[in-house]
Amino acid sequence: MNFYNVYNKYGNFSFDEFFGKVTDEGIKKTLRTEKLNLNHFLTLLSPGAGGYLEDMAKIAHRITVQYFGKAIQLYTPMYLSNYCENECVYCGFNRKNPVHRKKLTLDEVEKEARFIASWGLCHILILTGESREMSPLSYIKSSINILKKYFSSISIEIYPLTEDEYGGLIEAGLDGLTIYQEVYERTAYDRVHLSGPKQDYMFRLNAPERALKKGMRTVSIGSLLGLGGWREEAFFTGLHAQYLKEKFPEAEISVSLPRIRPSSGGFEPEEKVEDASLVQIILALRIFLPRLGITLSTRECSELRENLMPLGVTKISAGSTTKVGGHTIKTNEGDKPAQFEISDKRGIFEIKDMLLKKGYQPVFKDWMGNG
Amino acid sequence: MSDILTIGDKEIKNRLFIGTGKFPDKAMIKMVLEESKASVVTVALRRIDMKSSNENILDYIPEGCIVMTNTSGARNAKEAIRIARLAKASGAGNWVKIEVITDNKYLLPDNEETIKATETLSKEGFIVLAYMNPDLIVARRLVRAGASAIMPLGSPIGSNRGFKTEEIVKIMASEIKAPIIVDAGIGKPSDAARCMEIGCEAVLVNTAIATAEDPVSMAKAFSGAVVAGRLAYTSGMGRATEQANASSPLTGFLR
């Protein structure tokens, strides 16, 4: 039994038919329900529920403050390498894109680490493109060994690994995994992943479970909004999160809801996900899974990020760059988008001040993985 | 007559313990602690950064307030032990609230792992306060393992549901010699007063204060409730009975 079996149960499910049957009464009843089931969750994702965003927001805000308090955790991503063997139409690292390719030397990893750590940030997310040749596991391990001198919690967002490989990295000091399915809907997945190892849908889908079996503390999953129908994708994201939470109750599961941004590949999403839709997804997820972590990246603009925070967000990135070595190494790339374009360009201290002003405690440290 | 709670070698004047995880900012924590004259505050080591250039939460704790680090985030005894040792090594003292949680849905504590961690840490000289799911037998084992105080939950963490575990905690309070401190779920000052009225030695509150519109006043309200509840307990409360007591005794004719 793995998540694929759960996902498959919805093979013949008609979302449109379900949404068509949602009534105002059903939505109001759902909003009065304390423990939501999957039908309730779908009801909140329905077009009809779009008219109840304010009611949903009040509930979501109350739940978030109750379970997470007025505190937002901060982290920043650090790109180690952008060599990639995949051809994903939406990504700037697509192997066919003529972007400048770079992989940090271990000295450069240390330089970036020292710089980011000087902000006082204790959580780091390291990223690579998918290339076992250019950024092999040994390289990831060596990087973790350096990073653990500077950070108390290290997460990876790299290619999916085997169970034993996750185990090895956890032993080296890793405690978090971020891996987005990008799009759960199978045919859409095949449509946007034209070549490369990422074409293996199943290996990616079951990666969170493999990591959790080895004791990974935190796992972040998600769908890249814009690649498939957002209501369906939000539903599968919630379904996946619920499945992982029930199977691994000791782990912290969170979701991220990235919307497609302009990238150096120039890809335009088939469906534009509006702000109101993003809001509806966050609210539905928060009400469905009250203790779920929700991450918001710098893909979104500063104003929207600030407005979304009280609705259920628990973690935000800051001071981000999607360029390899983007904090300390000067390149000739200019300002063109790298993997994707950053919208909220504020530095960590500006974000910190903003949070305090908004009545939120900026949390720079929330775990000590390698003491 | 003085009525002072003693844990380890420390005398604790204020029986309201305060948690710090959910406050909007650290300056607010300081105000709450000062205004409520708190004696004990709990801080998660996972949130303390000794190396950072950023201000540290410990800088905001008034002098004389005992810092009890907690092992929030620990999923087993081994992790709780590691966190407690880190706390001690980083100068946060030897008071530790052991918190081992293997269920992230309801955040209920794992009693078995808590006993294991208590055993090891108390041998190492820690003053252990053990957060637990109320259970008399487990409480006895925790005391045997060296716990200085037992902290049963009132209802799930952060739920504000109040003192739902009263029946079991009441038994624990009458049977266990170590102080019983109700931790988690206390939503209103009246809940806190109730804990004290039945003989608990203290109460720990976080969410209900931190998420109040005016946390400082709410902390004072809780502080007052704890004092009132304690005084009621030590004054010997009249027993509440189901029926009215007949004013003319049924056996009065025997006189």
Side-chain angles (χ1 to χ4, degrees), chain A residues 113-127:
Chain A
R114 202 177 299 131
F115 181 77
I116 296 169
S118 72
W119 302 340
L121 211 52
C122 299
H123 292 247
I124 190 92
L125 170 69
I126 52 174
L127 299 93

Side-chain angles (χ1 to χ4, degrees), chain A residues 3 5-6 17 35 55 57 59 88 130 142 146-147 152 157 161 171 180 189 256 263 266 303 349:
Chain A
F3 180 66
N5 307 115
V6 180
E17 199 183 316
K35 284 189 100 180
D55 298 300
I59 298 170
C88 313
E130 178 154 3
S142 309
I146 293 168
L147 292 166
S152 69
E157 185 173 346
L161 304 177
E171 233 163 77
Y180 303 143
Y189 187 92
S256 191
S263 72
E303 194 190 343
F349 297 109

Side-chain angles (χ1 to χ4, degrees), chain A residues 37-230:
Chain A
N37 60 29
L38 286 164
N39 281 347
H40 292 126
F41 178 42
L42 261 179
T43 301
L44 295 183
L45 288 170
S46 70
Y52 291 83
L53 292 187
E54 185 57 31
D55 298 300
M56 286 168 70
K58 282 184 185 132
I59 298 170
H61 175 64
R62 178 177 51 75
I63 297 175
T64 309
V65 172
Q66 186 186 337
Y67 289 127
F68 295 92
K70 292 211 154 184
I72 298 258
Q73 201 211 302
L74 296 166
Y75 74 100
T76 205
M78 172 174 165
Y79 282 73
L80 297 183
S81 162
N82 61 2
Y83 286 94
C84 194
E85 292 158 18
N86 291 320
E87 201 184 330
C88 313
V89 298
Y90 50 84
C91 181
F93 290 171
N94 183 327
R95 70 185 175 91
K96 291 203 168 159
N97 278 348
V99 292
H100 175 73
R101 301 286 166 174
K102 178 163 175 63
K103 169 185 161 185
L104 296 184
T105 64
L106 294 178
D107 281 345
E108 287 169 332
V109 169
E110 181 133 22
K111 198 173 159 194
E112 285 269 302
R114 202 177 299 131
F115 181 77
I116 296 169
S118 72
W119 302 340
L121 211 52
C122 299
H123 292 247
I124 190 92
L125 170 69
I126 52 174
L127 299 93
T128 67
E130 178 154 3
S131 174
R132 280 183 178 259
E133 195 192 326
M134 293 307 291
S135 44
L137 206 65
S138 55
Y139 170 71
I140 306 288
K141 219 175 253 182
S142 309
S143 299
I144 290 173
N145 275 325
I146 293 168
L147 292 166
K148 67 184 178 188
K149 289 191 280 179
Y150 297 91
F151 302 99
S152 69
S153 169
I154 303 166
S155 300
I156 50 166
E157 185 173 346
I158 65 168
Y159 44 87
L161 304 177
T162 65
E163 208 176 300
D164 286 342
E165 286 173 330
Y166 282 125
L169 292 187
I170 290 168
E171 233 163 77
L174 182 76
D175 56 77
L177 168 70
T178 293
I179 189 157
Y180 303 143
Q181 188 60 20
E182 317 293 10
V183 54
Y184 284 92
E185 206 273 302
R186 187 66 195 263
T187 49
Y189 187 92
D190 293 341
R191 201 164 55 234
V192 294
H193 298 108
L194 303 181
S195 69
K198 199 167 175 175
Q199 283 189 306
D200 191 340
Y201 176 91
M202 285 277 278
F203 191 63
R204 193 171 184 87
L205 189 70
N206 293 324
E209 279 182 80
R210 293 197 295 275
L212 287 164
K213 274 185 198 155
K214 288 292 179 180
M216 192 74 78
R217 281 190 68 80
T218 62
V219 166
S220 182
I221 57 169
S223 169
L224 183 53
L225 298 171
L227 295 181
W230 66 261

Side-chain angles (χ1 to χ4, degrees), chain B residues 9 11 32 47-48 68 106 113 145 159 176 181 185 193 216 255:
Chain B
D9 58 356
E11 289 193 340
V32 162
R47 290 270 174 95
I48 306 177
M68 166 170 71
Y106 299 101
E113 292 294 308
S159 71
I176 302 288
I181 301 166
V216 173
R255 267 187 279 152

Side-chain angles (χ1 to χ4, degrees), chain B residues 38-58:
Chain B
S39 302
V40 180
V41 59
T42 183
V43 177
L45 185 77
R46 67 193 288 180
R47 290 270 174 95
I48 306 177
D49 180 16
M50 297 293 185
K51 290 185 288 187
S52 165
S53 50
N54 283 306
E55 76 281 340
N56 195 308
I57 185 164
L58 299 179

